[in-house]
Amino acid sequence: MTSSTVPTIQFVIMAVSVILFIGIFMGISYYIRSKSSKIEAGLLGAFSYGLLGFLWQYFFVLFIGGLMARMPIFNSEPISIFQSCLLNVLISLITAGFMALALFWGIYLTNQKQLSVYRSTMVGVGFIFGKVALEQIYPYLFSFYQGMALNRGMKIPEDVRRALMNTRTADLVTGTYKTLMLVPIVLAIAMIMGELYARKQFQQSYLAGFLIYEGILLCNAILRGILPNSVSENIMWMIALTIFAFLGVLLVLNWFRTDQVEMDIRKVWNKFRKGEGE
């Protein structure tokens, strides 16, 4: 940017994004709460377990990533294709493993007295809220405040000023969109894990969460490896995320409509095509 001020459109995008995410989480929480009066008392606790699960797995992954960065095999220059692929695979395995473990931990705690897919799904709501709050809401609120100060001629830290000046409007839009697509994905994963846990298929519950999320992360890694530049990779990743999110929305909506968790996406799709489950 050649201008020394933050464009108005960026303030609008940041404000709308924060309001949108808060509204989405409030709407999802209210709808789940209204579905069954029997479990209302446990929903806030389930949400809290999900939020805490996100936080501890986030710091564990961060810590392990820091250790891996110090390993000689990943700390040499230049990094070979093999080293890069190995690093991406290991990071995806660790991320998916801890993500599934955090959800399973929350689902286990919230289902101690009574099994409930609703509470299990609220664990997912808490988890993805933590992710959105840390990676989207807080940075946008901070940038909004600092940008307003900069535009008013107030002095702000130089590194923050440079970051604001280097922020592109397109990056804000794509960042918001990609985060938005993760919401139904995580909800669907938590719902499936909760259903398998309610059936007392505990190992399958964890493995389902791990394998689904690992598949999504590997898709991202593959796109980064085969596409020629970051622009094309970003576009294809958004398309892939849109498809995954669409499948997640179908699964969750079918559960909302029927009160039954159907994990066969083909059956769910056929129901929607025929207008069933209304």
Side-chain angles (χ1 to χ4, degrees):
M1 286 185 185
T2 56
S3 173
S4 59
T5 60
V6 179
T8 302
I9 184 62
Q10 293 192 4
F11 287 116
V12 173
I13 293 172
M14 288 186 282
V16 170
S17 297
V18 170
I19 294 171
L20 175 65
F21 282 120
I22 293 175
I24 287 173
F25 287 116
M26 290 179 63
I28 293 172
S29 300
Y30 176 80
Y31 190 81
I32 293 177
R33 185 176 184 275
S34 67
K35 288 291 288 183
S36 176
S37 59
K38 296 179 181 179
I39 55 151
E40 288 179 1
L43 291 179
L44 182 59
F47 179 91
S48 301
Y49 291 141
L51 180 59
L52 288 173
F54 167 78
L55 290 174
W56 67 250
Q57 67 84 37
Y58 174 83
F59 289 112
F60 265 112
V61 172
L62 204 63
F63 175 73
I64 294 174
L67 291 179
M68 290 175 60
R70 295 173 179 268
M71 296 173 63
I73 188 174
F74 302 125
N75 201 23
S76 59
E77 292 289 345
I79 297 179
S80 66
I81 296 177
F82 170 76
Q83 289 173 306
S84 178
C85 291
L86 179 61
L87 181 61
N88 285 332
V89 170
L90 287 177
I91 289 175
S92 70
L93 288 171
I94 293 168
T95 303
F98 274 100
M99 181 265 198
L101 186 61
L103 288 177
F104 187 84
W105 174 78
I107 290 170
Y108 164 76
L109 291 177
T110 198
N111 284 288
Q112 288 292 288
K113 295 182 179 179
Q114 180 185 3
L115 297 174
S116 168
V117 179
Y118 288 98
R119 285 199 300 271
S120 297
T121 306
M122 277 300 292
V123 173
V125 176
F127 183 94
I128 190 61
F129 176 80
K131 183 176 179 64
V132 171
L134 184 65
E135 299 178 2
Q136 202 81 25
I137 295 177
Y138 170 72
Y140 277 13
L141 288 176
F142 179 79
S143 297
F144 190 96
Y145 172 77
Q146 294 291 347
M148 291 291 289
L150 178 65
N151 284 8
R152 290 175 181 173
M154 299 171 62
K155 185 175 179 60
I156 64 174
E158 181 59 24
D159 57 335
V160 175
R161 189 194 68 81
R162 285 198 302 266
L164 289 172
M165 292 299 94
N166 291 329
T167 298
R168 298 183 305 170
T169 302
D171 293 333
L172 294 177
V173 174
T174 56
T176 298
Y177 182 80
K178 286 187 284 189
T179 304
L180 182 63
M181 293 299 100
L182 285 176
V183 174
I185 292 173
V186 174
L187 291 186
I189 291 174
M191 180 194 72
I192 291 171
M193 291 179 67
E195 172 66 17
L196 291 172
Y197 191 95
R199 297 178 187 178
K200 298 187 176 180
Q201 299 175 359
F202 305 126
Q203 292 181 344
Q204 292 90 328
S205 174
Y206 174 81
L207 286 174
F210 169 73
L211 292 175
I212 293 172
Y213 202 61
E214 173 64 13
I216 294 172
L217 293 178
L218 283 179
C219 177
N220 187 20
I222 291 171
L223 290 175
R224 286 201 309 267
I226 64 176
L227 294 176
N229 56 65
S230 59
V231 175
S232 56
E233 180 269 324
N234 200 35
I235 292 173
M236 291 304 299
W237 176 230
M238 285 195 294
I239 293 173
L241 269 181
T242 302
I243 295 172
F244 293 136
F246 175 72
L247 297 177
V249 168
L250 286 181
L251 292 173
V252 173
L253 282 181
N254 179 70
W255 171 55
F256 282 167
R257 290 179 170 185
T258 65
D259 268 340
Q260 295 179 347
V261 177
E262 175 59 68
M263 289 175 275
D264 189 335
I265 192 65
R266 293 171 299 179
K267 292 182 181 180
V268 174
W269 174 244
N270 288 332
K271 281 185 181 181
F272 276 88
R273 287 183 60 191
K274 296 175 181 178
E276 299 176 8
E278 298 290 346

